[in-house]
Every structure is written in C-alpha cells, then in structure tokens.
Amino acid sequence: MNHPTFLDILDAQRRIRPYLPVTPLHTYPTLNRLLGFTAYVKHENHNPTGAFKVRGGINLVSRLTPEEKALGVVTASTGNHGQSIALASKLFNVEAHICVPMGANPDKVAAIRSHGAEIIEWGRDFEEARLNAERLARDRGYRYISSGDEPHLIAGVGTIGLEIMQQEPSIDTVISPVGAGTGCGGTAIAVKTVNPEVKMIAVQAGNAPSVYRSWLSGEQEHTDSADTMADGLATRQSFRLPSSILREWVDEFTLVSEEELRQGVRLYLEHCRTVAEGAGAAPLAAALKMRDELRGRNVALVLSGGNITLAELKRCLETE
C-alpha cells in the first residue's frame, strides 16, 4: 500500500466538501491561561457522527466500484469508524455490516444502527471483532474495509490537517490522538507539507500502547490487552500503513494515563463547554503534561470526537 500524498488529501477535501462542513477551530482564554500557551481546539465532535472518521468513510465509500457497492461492505469498529462507514454507505446506497466487540459503547452502536447498517456483535475487544469481519468478507464476499490500512481513509481524515492550516496558518504544533493512527498520520502529512516546521505530536493511551511501540521499534507491535476508557484508542494490534506514516511524519509521541484522559474530559467541559470522549481528550491531556515544553507556541489540539456515554462522563466528573 502506498502512502497517501498531499494531492490525495486535496482531492479528498474536494470529494467530501458537499457532505461535510468545515469544523470549527476555536481558542479559549481560560484554557490558554491554564496551559501557558495558545491552544486552538479543532472541533471534530461537531461532525454529523460526532467524530472525525466520517471524513475517511465518505472519501472511501464514494470511490468504490459498482461491483464493490453491489457486494456490500464489512468492517470492524469500537464505534466511530463504524458510524463513519454506516453513514457513508447510506449516502451511496451500499449495504454495510459492522462488527463490534461485545459490550461496545451502546450509544455508538445505536448510532451505527440508525444509519441502516447491520450490527454483528462478537469478540471481547476490537481485535477479535476485526478477525470476525475478515472472516465474513471471505465467507460472504463483502468488500472488507480495514479501519487502518486503507489509503483513502487516511487521505479523507487528513483533511483535518489541511483545514487547520487554512484556518490558522500561525499554528506551529499539532497534537493528535492515535488509535489506529489514520487521523494522526493523515493530519501529519497535510500540516507538514504545508509547513515542514510544524511540530507533529502523537498521543496514545498508556494502557493501549501498540502503535507507540511500533513508532519506537519500526515493527508491527501488539499488546495482550487495551484496557482504556478511551475506546477510540483501544487498539491491541498496530496497523502497517498508518504506523509507517507516523514513523515518517511524527516528531514526538507520548502516552497519557487513564486519570489524565479523564482530566482532559473535565477540562473541556470546564473551559470550552464542549464534550469530548476519551480519545478526543487525549491531546489536551498531553498538552497539559507537556505545557513547559510547549510554552509560547500556537498549538492545535485535535478533539477527535465527543461520543462519550453518560455513564463514562459521570465517572470522569466523579474522579475530580
């Protein structure tokens, strides 16, 4: 698989523009005072699905061949990717089958189903759901959509970085969360092509560090578990394509704890009056941890999604 290029991201922006508005990039004075630098929040929680992945879903599904569309698609997800493929499939009249692990975020599962996709619940976590999706693709002939190793997904979500630089050219640092690594990888290609001096920082949950380990080693790493409240970061097995992109384009990679993630959720509510899920709060958690290093910089924080359950939000608020 070839890395998507900056031209691919430009083309993706043209393709998704009729379906998705540009998401806001806002700065908040009290958050800036807390951090000690100017932070710009990229509100991907304002997308129709409440998360960034819909950009990639529309870019990919819109490009399927007539034969692929007729066969239908299957993919695995903990929630946001599934919503993305479900909505895109609805837009382009494609039958979608979404494999989710047992006990997946019920709000995200309900949202997937609301777009007309079939839900197939199986496995203890994303990795087992992914293996089930691959089996169904072989057995039933569906077009399998990897949640990581798909250049058109990465080009689609890379439009986040393109928008950031168009909205605020003074940005000199971008912090993006990593689950599979598609969003961070695509964003890095876009921002560093526009301005190679921009510092690109990736952040993953300390309890699910497979992609972080791959970034360090250059090998495809996996972990035995991915026990994190941030279901969007709960990846046990790294993906080859986004991992190779991250190694080429990301300058720094950090991990955050579960308490730091929950603190990020609280801070977004307190200072920005906005709701972030765990993955969406990860860049703010990293920014707080790195505030001395980032002092004086103009930092974009990719708030990747806001699809947190009420129960998890309550836990975040109770642990203050």
Side-chain angles (χ1 to χ4, degrees):
M1 291 171 287
N2 294 325
H3 289 196
T5 66
F6 183 68
L7 291 179
D8 293 325
I9 295 171
L10 286 173
D11 187 49
Q13 186 179 64
R14 176 189 61 82
R15 186 169 287 263
I16 70 176
R17 184 165 285 157
Y19 306 98
L20 297 175
V22 173
T23 57
L25 184 74
H26 291 321
T27 189
Y28 299 89
T30 63
L31 184 64
N32 294 340
R33 284 197 291 273
L34 173 71
L35 294 171
F37 56 81
T38 304
Y40 294 86
V41 179
K42 183 60 169 164
H43 280 279
E44 292 300 291
N45 56 333
H46 287 202
N47 275 309
T49 58
F52 78 102
K53 286 181 180 283
V54 67
R55 297 170 179 266
I58 290 174
N59 190 47
L60 187 150
V61 174
S62 70
R63 298 174 188 272
L64 295 178
T65 66
E67 293 76 18
E68 288 173 323
K69 288 179 179 178
L71 289 169
V73 299
V74 65
T75 194
S77 175
T78 56
N80 287 338
H81 169 67
Q83 288 186 68
S84 163
I85 298 303
L87 176 57
S89 296
K90 182 179 180 180
L91 288 173
F92 299 102
N93 197 29
V94 177
E95 187 178 272
H97 311 272
I98 313 297
C99 296
V100 301
M102 301 293 291
N105 181 320
D107 296 341
K108 292 181 179 181
V109 171
I112 293 169
R113 188 176 283 114
S114 74
H115 296 305
E118 179 191 15
I119 297 289
I120 303 164
E121 193 172 9
W122 191 87
R124 66 187 173 97
D125 58 14
F126 169 79
E127 182 64 16
E128 292 188 357
R130 180 185 67 81
L131 294 173
N132 190 42
E134 291 180 353
R135 179 186 62 79
L136 290 172
R138 291 191 301 269
D139 293 349
R140 301 183 187 177
Y142 303 141
R143 199 291 199 179
Y144 174 66
I145 298 176
S146 168
S147 61
D149 290 329
E150 296 279 1
H152 290 314
L153 284 184
I154 297 171
V157 295
T159 58
I160 297 169
L162 193 55
E163 287 181 13
I164 288 171
M165 300 311 293
Q166 291 166 334
Q167 289 167 297
E168 186 50 64
S170 69
I171 293 293
D172 56 31
T173 305
V174 177
I175 308 180
S176 179
V178 170
T182 57
C184 185
T187 297
I189 292 171
V191 299
K192 291 183 77 70
T193 300
V194 173
N195 181 1
E197 300 304 313
V198 172
K199 185 173 186 177
M200 190 72 205
I201 301 173
V203 55
Q204 192 170 37
N207 283 3
S210 61
V211 182
Y212 169 75
R213 292 180 182 178
S214 292
W215 184 78
L216 291 176
S217 71
E219 305 293 333
Q220 292 310 109
E221 302 285 353
H222 71 277
T223 58
D224 294 332
S225 66
D227 185 18
T228 173
M229 58 82 70
D231 51 9
L233 307 182
T235 305
R236 281 201 289 129
Q237 174 68 53
S238 63
F239 290 86
R240 181 168 63 87
L241 181 58
S243 291
S244 65
I245 293 171
L246 295 178
R247 280 183 60 81
E248 180 178 349
W249 293 91
V250 164
D251 300 296
E252 190 170 345
F253 206 134
T254 190
L255 299 176
V256 290
S257 69
E258 295 301 290
E259 175 47 38
E260 287 168 333
L261 289 169
R262 290 190 170 96
Q263 183 183 28
V265 172
R266 294 195 300 270
L267 290 175
Y268 268 133
L269 273 173
E270 180 182 359
H271 293 278
C272 310
R273 300 299 186 263
T274 196
V275 176
E277 61 187 270
L284 177 53
L288 190 63
K289 188 175 181 177
M290 303 170 67
R291 56 185 169 180
D292 290 340
E293 175 186 338
L294 298 173
R295 195 169 303 278
R297 300 182 73 90
N298 294 322
V299 183
L301 306 176
V302 179
L303 199 174
S304 58
N307 296 320
I308 189 170
T309 64
L310 287 175
E312 184 57 56
L313 181 58
K314 183 178 179 182
R315 280 192 287 271
C316 290
L317 297 177
E318 288 174 345
T319 55
E320 185 172 3

